[in-house]
Amino acid sequence: MDILSDYAPELLDAFWMTIKLTVLSAIGALVLGTLLAAMRVSPVPVARWIGATYVTIFRNPPLTLILLFCAFGLYQTL
């Protein structure tokens, strides 16, 4: 317990920084998500294309990678 009391100020500062980063990330995600959703339903074809491209490139690979890892991993394991 002595180590906790030695580093208590640094731990509290780190915890407060984590809270601030969480709030800023949530605000940024809300703004970016709202902007991309507006672009996806926009009547302007270029905006629709940019929104769809962003979603396709940056949002879909995690699912694709999970499927690939499962396919190759299960194939190797079984």
Side-chain angles (χ1 to χ4, degrees), residues 23-37:
V23 169
L24 288 175
S25 297
I27 292 170
L30 179 68
V31 169
L32 183 64
T34 303
L35 181 66
L36 285 170

Side-chain angles (χ1 to χ4, degrees), residues 4 6 10 24 35-36 42 45 48 50 52 54 58 61 71 73:
L4 289 178
D6 291 342
E10 288 86 4
L24 288 175
L35 181 66
L36 285 170
S42 172
R48 235 182 5 245
I50 291 171
Y54 176 85
F58 293 107

Side-chain angles (χ1 to χ4, degrees), residues 38-60:
M39 290 173 75
R40 291 289 306 263
V41 297
S42 172
V44 180
V46 174
R48 235 182 5 245
W49 181 81
I50 291 171
T53 302
Y54 176 85
V55 170
T56 301
I57 292 174
F58 293 107
R59 299 287 298 182
N60 288 341

